[in-house]
Amino acid sequence: MIERAVEILSASRRVVTFSGAGLSAESGVPTFRDAGSRGLWSRYEPMKLASPEGFAADPETVIAWYNWRRTVLAGVEPNAAHRALAARTDMLHITQNVDDLLERAGAPADNVVHLHGSMTIDRCHRACGFVERVELASPPPRRLCPMCAAPMRPAVVWFGESLPPEAWTRAAEASGSCDAMIVIGTSAAVYPAAGLIGVARQAGASIIVINAERTDASRLADVEIIGLAGEIVPRLVSPR
Ligand code: NAD
Ligand code: ZN
């Protein structure tokens, strides 16, 4: 399977990768489900913590949950899969991840499309335009937008919110015009992001799926490799 994938990739001119929480799992970043079932946060549902309704109901808890995730992120390192991908600036890396591990592995910012935003930035909840970079190791407490006094919040896409239009357009265009897509560590269950796999397939691209278990992406795969991203990705995606 690995050999077949390598063959496909060497015959492909335009390659995009599409990743999810599984890409960062070996770095020690909990996937969504893990994050919801651990210690302090076991009483909360991630769905409620990552929605406008949840934020309206209990902003203090939502900010505290993101700030906890930020401090976790500050303490981890990119893994071998991030490093292998980051070195390939000839590929576009579309990710659902809100961490900055691809960038910390050396990927140029312009080479990574964050479909679901980033935890490294706060923005005004009313979207007046005010944004601010945050220090992951010491994130700011709950506060108001200095421009319009609406609450500040992480610049991530919550359930029920639409994706950042430029990121979506760029991802959809790249997916619809690639020769191969490598799908890495995603349950492919969150839409519209997961729809990009179908967009690529529809356009005639070969689909290579790397995941710890079978998922909704399995049926779209030309090649499916069940395994850990940190072990498999560097074998497929060698530095250029
Ligand atoms: P998900 O948790 O639904 O799916 C992760 C998939 O990765 C699972 O199928 C799992 O089997 C697989 N996996 C786990 N460890 C793996 C490994 N080492 N190698 C390969 N595969 C592995 O995550 P998702 O599909 O990204 O969707 C959930 C949403 O949660 C996303 O929208 C994302 O924005 C958000 N999220 C992001 C982060 C992050 O930024 N690191 C973390 C948690 C959740
Ligand atoms: Zn504002």
Side-chain angles (χ1 to χ4, degrees), residues 136-178:
L136 291 174
S138 52
R142 189 176 153 214
R143 68 204 195 288
L144 300 180
C145 172
M147 304 288 285
C148 77
M152 290 293 286
R153 54 166 279 186
V156 300
V157 177
W158 284 335
F159 291 99
E161 294 183 326
S162 38
L163 307 193
E166 297 124 68
W168 175 252
T169 302
R170 196 167 169 218
E173 280 174 7
S175 302
S177 61
C178 66

Side-chain angles (χ1 to χ4, degrees), residues 124-130 145-150 152:
C124 169
H125 186 49
R126 194 185 288 163
C128 76
F130 185 79
C145 172
M147 304 288 285
C148 77
M152 290 293 286

